[in-house]
Amino acid sequence: YIAPCEGDDYWTDPLKLQKQVEFMEKNPDYVMCYHSYQKMTDGLLDSKILPEVGKDYSKDELLATPGGIAMAAKFYLNVHKFHKNIKSPGGDYPFNAFLGTFGKCKFLSAILPSVYRIHSGGVFSSKNYSKKIFARINVKSSVLIYFLKKNDKHSIDVCRAELLKTVDKYIDALEPQKKWVFFRSLQILLYRYFMGRYFLVKPYLAVLKHRFRLAAKRG
């Protein structure tokens, strides 16, 4: 098993690992479990415990790269130990999708929250709103590209739908000139990766292009 705790985040429950190991040993259909967390911003601990409602995730829901699973709250099977010579995508959210190909995810309410520190120098927290939107969409794009290269048809369908849903949710928040810049970049990226199998992504690009046109008109 792997229990990440990076940067200056920290755990608060002395029995955290024991509780997570016990759950995973009894439930082999789960690839990951997690618990709640609190934010600490510039040294001040927020009393709010997140997520407000803990959620279990099916394999497909993990493929859709859900939010609300803090890095220091995760505990997951070391799949590389059991499946040799497999390559996983880099990054926290893409790795969630990768784990979703192996099993489900469980929220454990009996574990005290970990603490997630936020400060102005944070990689994500320091971005402005537009850059955060781009980051969210780019994560969904990278996950789709990963499964396209693996030719995993089920995961492709799940991730394509999730990417389109994310674009629909956030595209109107971008400045009009940035909408087309992003779309063209995404189109070129996908085409470069799949020159020989363009038919796989062409229908998806047609739908995405139509939605960007509608968003540009509204903008």
Side-chain angles (χ1 to χ4, degrees):
Y1 298 108
I2 295 176
C5 189
E6 61 182 10
D8 50 6
D9 300 340
Y10 61 91
W11 302 330
T12 65
D13 192 330
L15 298 179
K16 164 194 159 68
L17 297 178
Q18 178 179 328
K19 293 172 182 177
Q20 290 183 302
V21 168
E22 288 175 352
F23 172 81
M24 295 291 284
E25 290 290 304
K26 293 176 182 177
N27 298 275
D29 53 332
Y30 284 84
V31 70
M32 179 165 65
C33 60
Y34 75 108
H35 53 82
S36 59
Y37 70 98
Q38 291 173 275
K39 294 180 180 180
M40 178 178 283
T41 305
D42 295 326
L44 298 176
L45 184 64
D46 193 330
S47 60
K48 188 174 184 180
I49 295 178
L50 300 170
E52 294 182 359
V53 179
K55 177 176 170 52
D56 300 340
Y57 293 99
S58 67
K59 296 175 70 173
D60 283 0
E61 287 172 328
L62 272 185
L63 288 172
T65 60
I69 307 177
M71 177 65 85
K74 290 181 177 182
F75 185 88
Y76 53 86
L77 187 70
N78 182 2
V79 293
H80 291 279
K81 180 177 179 179
F82 303 100
H83 303 271
K84 305 296 184 182
N85 302 318
I86 55 172
K87 292 184 178 180
S88 58
D92 184 18
Y93 287 96
F95 191 68
N96 287 347
F98 172 73
L99 288 176
T101 62
F102 296 97
K104 301 181 290 184
C105 177
K106 180 71 175 180
F107 175 76
L108 301 180
S109 60
I111 299 177
L112 297 174
S114 60
V115 175
Y116 169 50
R117 293 183 193 259
I118 300 174
H119 52 86
S120 58
V123 174
F124 186 77
S125 58
S126 61
K127 296 179 182 293
N128 63 36
Y129 185 65
S130 290
K131 288 183 178 179
K132 287 180 179 179
I133 292 175
F134 276 114
R136 289 188 178 98
I137 297 175
N138 284 335
V139 163
K140 311 293 184 180
S141 304
S142 67
V143 171
L144 174 60
I145 288 172
Y146 172 79
F147 287 118
L148 280 165
K149 293 173 72 174
K150 301 289 287 185
N151 199 26
D152 183 339
K153 291 182 172 57
H154 176 75
S155 298
I156 289 169
D157 290 341
V158 173
C159 295
R160 181 191 293 116
E162 176 64 20
L163 174 57
L164 292 175
K165 184 175 75 173
T166 304
V167 169
D168 276 346
K169 181 177 180 179
Y170 291 111
I171 189 63
D172 284 333
L174 291 175
E175 296 87 338
Q177 67 272 20
K178 290 185 178 180
K179 293 174 184 177
W180 278 106
V181 171
F182 171 75
F183 171 73
R184 290 300 298 165
S185 299
L186 177 61
Q187 187 179 40
I188 292 169
L189 178 64
L190 287 171
Y191 189 78
R192 282 178 180 170
Y193 270 97
F194 305 103
M195 286 288 288
R197 295 155 56 194
Y198 186 54
F199 68 92
L200 283 175
V201 295
K202 191 173 181 180
Y204 146 74
L205 287 173
V207 174
L208 190 58
K209 191 170 186 177
H210 174 68
R211 297 186 182 196
F212 266 81
R213 281 176 174 166
L214 292 178
K217 287 180 181 179
R218 291 195 295 266

